[in-house]
Amino acid sequence: MNAVLEKFQKIGIIPVVVLDDAKDAEALGKALMEGGLPAAEVTFRTEAAEESIRIMAEKFPDMLVGAGTVLTTEQVDRAVAAGAKFIVSPGLNPKVVKYCIEKNIPVTPGTQTPTEMEQAIELGLDIVKFFPAEPAGGLKMIKAVSAPYTMLKFMPTGGINAENVKEYLAYDKILACGGSWMVKKDMIKNGEFDKIKEMVAEAAAIVKEIRG
């Protein structure tokens, strides 16, 4: 397993972050680090994403900073140039996956169906995102597809929260969970970084409780 993906497993919950203003990136990075989840999947949905990745990667070299919602190879280049250590996409785009593999960049594409999971295996992946997790059947679905696809591990994202994350983390085919409940957009916008740190610490404690 790639060293970055091993870190995912260790961290357990990867905060999925939407930043509208890069000025919040440093304070958010500090809250994540101090709270005990030293990682961020910064979604490429906003204009501030690239600069936010650059700031977090520079200010917190020990933090695992990556880019989410990556839809094109051009976005891969921009994210990596900014300091992203991994790429996550909502769906499985073979062009983007192949591009990342060629450049030795860890990539976790979104899958939902057995067909997409087989495509991922064909492309040489053994770890996929399962998205949107809860609407697509959640842990029940992951357990069902794990029977034929024994080589796959999953990173479920979408609808995961403090209530259901324990159940996910306890299953051995779950590498890590993506979640945004502790880094909600409004809390970032309102500068509630102490509250974020507190919620991050609670999430980190859940990982410790389930995985030791």
Side-chain angles (χ1 to χ4, degrees):
M1 200 192 294
N2 179 285
V4 167
L5 298 171
E6 279 179 15
K7 284 183 185 173
F8 277 166
Q9 191 160 23
K10 196 176 174 187
I11 296 165
I13 297 171
I14 309 301
V16 179
V17 177
V18 180
L19 279 156
D20 286 323
D21 196 326
K23 72 171 173 54
D24 294 323
E26 187 175 352
L28 179 64
K30 189 169 183 279
L32 293 172
M33 290 294 286
E34 290 178 357
L37 295 178
E41 178 192 316
V42 181
T43 60
F44 244 66
R45 296 176 207 175
T46 70
E47 293 298 317
E50 211 170 329
E51 185 57 22
S52 297
I53 289 170
R54 185 173 288 111
I55 290 166
M56 283 191 189
E58 281 175 8
K59 298 283 181 186
F60 310 101
D62 294 335
M63 189 175 183
L64 196 56
V65 184
T69 324
V70 174
L71 308 177
T72 65
T73 55
E74 182 249 351
Q75 286 182 330
V76 172
D77 287 339
R78 282 168 50 205
V80 172
K85 296 187 179 85
F86 63 90
I87 298 293
V88 180
S89 53
L92 194 150
N93 179 334
K95 186 181 173 185
V96 170
V97 172
K98 284 175 188 170
Y99 189 75
C100 289
I101 290 170
E102 278 164 22
K103 294 191 170 289
N104 206 23
I105 302 156
V107 60
T108 312
T111 61
Q112 199 182 87
T113 65
T115 302
E116 291 160 343
M117 290 165 199
E118 285 193 28
Q119 272 187 295
I121 293 164
E122 181 68 22
L123 289 162
L125 299 178
D126 54 10
I127 289 156
V128 292
K129 178 177 176 174
F130 181 66
F131 177 81
E134 281 292 293
L139 190 56
K140 206 172 175 182
M141 175 67 170
I142 292 172
K143 284 182 174 177
V145 292
S146 288
Y149 304 127
T150 54
M151 69 295 287
L152 281 183
K153 285 208 167 189
F154 298 87
M155 277 186 60
T157 306
I160 293 179
N161 54 46
E163 281 70 54
N164 61 19
V165 73
K166 288 184 183 184
E167 205 182 350
Y168 279 96
L169 289 173
Y171 185 50
D172 65 354
K173 294 292 183 180
I174 305 290
L175 184 80
C177 293
S180 57
W181 77 89
M182 75 301 274
V183 283
K184 283 192 181 132
K185 209 171 163 182
D186 287 351
M187 292 196 296
I188 295 169
K189 202 174 174 182
N190 298 332
E192 297 174 62
F193 297 107
D194 285 343
K195 187 180 176 185
I196 290 171
K197 180 181 162 181
E198 197 179 297
M199 290 178 77
V200 167
E202 285 167 10
I206 291 172
V207 178
K208 198 160 192 249
E209 178 196 331
I210 302 298
R211 295 191 166 178

